């Protein structure tokens, strides 16, 4: 059984739900269904509740509001937490495989959206992490059937995953540059100008190469300023590299989706024909030998 079918099966009503009309089946239809009026109403009410609960967390962090209405904010926080806890337990109760749902993306987010309040009983202040409930708004794509947005999210995730090795190589080169140039600045400027250690100089190098420029540490010598200027210019190019990697991967995947996974944009140098199979060695139209990679690569 493939992965997609297993995931769909995980959210089916429990087998012990009884005949049609059983209470578990009816609750499942309301919680997971979007084709019924009750299910759609439930989802919209859920989204409103999520937004209100996040608003409570944000307002509670404001001293002028949280201090004056501490009891009200505390009561509202527990009200929403208990509400989402009951909803989470109802989801586990009405699916065929509760553990599989609990380990799914939405299941983990549902759990994390209630845990901070309970953890705050042991670690005061952790209730501020309830902002993670904002991730539950991803359900809005399912509620309003915005499938095109889901496809774009999926495509972006696939492009990032496919680019991970290139990005790791890029980051390793950047870290080498930060270490070397930070060490050079430590030697050139010295502790008297704020470069008290190599890690501190590396921090300055990261801030400079990312063009953030906090200004808490600045070079004072002529040579140090020259190195800093070089790093600032280098930073512009560095910022463009990961963007180009991901963009190229997304473009390639968009082409693959349009023409099929077995097609590659390799143009025949003899007749200009394109759309050849990945393993093809000769042009399908004129028989000339094909280049080893896609055109333009």
């Amino acid at each position: 059984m493939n992965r997609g079918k297993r995931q769909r099966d995980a959210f089916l009503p429990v087998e012990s739900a009884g005949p049609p009309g059983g209470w578990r089946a009816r609750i499942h239809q309301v919680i997971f269904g979007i084709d019924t009026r009750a299910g759609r109403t439930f989802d919209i009410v859920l989204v409103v509740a999520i937004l209100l609960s996040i608003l409570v967390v944000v307002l509670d962090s404001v001293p002028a509001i949280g201090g004056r209405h501490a009891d009200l904010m505390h009561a509202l926080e527990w009200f929403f937490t208990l509400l989402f806890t009951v909803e989470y337990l109802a989801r586990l109760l009405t699916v065929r495989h509760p553990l599989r749902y609990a380990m799914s993306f939405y299941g983990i987010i549902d759990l994390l959206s209630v845990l901070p309040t309970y953890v705050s009983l042991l670690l005061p202040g952790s209730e501020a992490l309830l902002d993670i409930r904002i991730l539950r708004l991803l359900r809005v794509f399912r509620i309003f059937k915005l499938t095109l947005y889901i496809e774009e999210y999926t495509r972006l995730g696939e492009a990032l995953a496919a680019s991970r090795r290139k990005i790791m190589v890029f980051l390793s080169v950047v870290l080498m540059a930060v270490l070397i140039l930070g060490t050079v600045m430590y030697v050139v400027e010295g502790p008297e100008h704020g470069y008290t250690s190599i890690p501190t100089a590396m921090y300055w190098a990261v801030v400079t190469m990312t063009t953030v420029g906090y200004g808490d540490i600045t070079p004072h010598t002529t040579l140090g300023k020259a190195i800093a200027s070089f790093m600032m210019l280098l930073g512009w190019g560095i910022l463009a590299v990961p963007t180009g990697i991901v963009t190229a991967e997304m473009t390639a995947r968009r082409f693959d989706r349009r023409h099929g996974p077995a097609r590659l944009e390799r143009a025949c140098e003899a007749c200009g024909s394109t759309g050849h199979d990945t393993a093809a060695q000769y042009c399908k139209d004129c028989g000339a030998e094909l280049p080893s990679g896609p055109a333009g690569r």
Side-chain angles (χ1 to χ4, degrees):
M1 186 182 294
N2 59 46
R3 182 180 179 184
K5 191 173 188 301
R6 287 199 304 268
Q7 291 177 339
R8 289 193 298 271
D9 288 347
F11 307 135
L12 292 174
V14 290
E15 293 175 339
S16 58
W23 65 273
R24 289 186 180 181
R26 290 198 298 270
I27 294 176
H28 182 279
Q29 185 63 27
V30 172
I31 294 178
F32 290 95
I34 60 174
D35 297 326
T36 64
R37 187 172 185 178
R40 189 175 180 84
T41 301
F42 173 85
D43 284 336
I44 293 176
V45 171
L46 178 62
V47 169
V48 173
I50 292 170
L51 291 174
L52 290 177
S53 68
I54 293 172
L55 179 62
V56 169
V57 174
V58 172
L59 292 178
D60 189 38
S61 67
V62 180
I65 299 177
R68 184 179 303 176
H69 306 285
D71 293 339
L72 175 61
M73 293 297 172
H74 186 70
L76 288 174
E77 177 185 317
W78 273 103
F79 167 76
F80 285 116
T81 297
L82 293 175
L83 179 66
F84 293 138
T85 301
V86 171
E87 180 228 348
Y88 176 69
L89 294 177
R91 290 180 183 275
L92 292 178
L93 185 64
T94 58
V95 294
R96 180 173 297 171
H97 303 291
L99 181 60
R100 190 176 298 172
Y101 174 76
M103 298 302 294
S104 68
F105 173 76
Y106 283 119
I108 293 174
I109 293 301
D110 291 344
L111 178 60
L112 291 179
S113 69
V114 299
L115 277 183
T117 303
Y118 297 111
V119 173
S120 67
L121 296 174
L122 301 175
L123 299 174
S126 60
E127 63 272 10
L129 297 175
L130 287 172
D131 279 354
I132 198 174
R133 286 175 183 165
I134 193 69
L135 293 178
R136 300 198 70 193
L137 291 181
L138 290 174
R139 295 181 187 275
V140 75
F141 297 129
R142 182 180 67 90
I143 295 169
F144 296 107
K145 299 182 180 180
L146 302 181
T147 54
L148 293 178
Y149 290 89
I150 296 176
E151 182 181 350
E152 293 301 327
Y153 267 104
T154 303
R155 186 174 299 171
L156 178 59
E158 291 175 350
L160 289 173
S163 306
R164 63 185 181 278
R165 292 187 181 88
K166 296 177 184 177
I167 293 177
M168 289 300 296
V169 170
F170 163 76
L171 289 177
S172 64
V173 173
V174 171
L175 289 176
M176 293 178 197
V178 166
L179 174 61
I180 294 172
L181 294 175
T183 303
V184 170
M185 288 298 290
Y186 169 71
V187 174
V188 171
E189 293 291 331
E192 62 272 15
H193 293 151
Y195 298 82
T196 56
S197 64
I198 291 180
T200 301
M202 290 177 64
Y203 157 77
W204 170 86
V206 171
V207 171
T208 302
M209 292 184 69
T210 54
T211 69
V212 175
Y214 289 131
D216 51 345
I217 305 175
T218 56
H220 291 74
T221 66
T222 302
L223 179 58
K225 291 178 180 179
I227 296 174
S229 299
F230 168 74
M231 292 181 66
M232 293 172 195
L233 294 174
L234 183 62
W236 283 1
I238 286 177
L239 290 176
V241 172
T243 305
I245 291 174
V246 176
T247 301
E249 201 63 49
M250 290 184 68
T251 302
R253 290 181 176 276
R254 183 178 291 110
F255 180 86
D256 289 343
R257 275 186 169 84
R258 186 177 303 167
H259 298 281
R263 300 292 179 179
L264 206 57
E265 194 176 6
R266 291 193 296 167
C268 175
E269 296 177 351
C271 67
S273 176
T274 58
H276 302 91
D277 291 343
T278 303
Q281 298 180 4
Y282 300 95
C283 176
K284 58 185 176 60
D285 293 325
C286 70
E289 186 175 358
L290 292 172
S292 58
R297 292 188 184 180

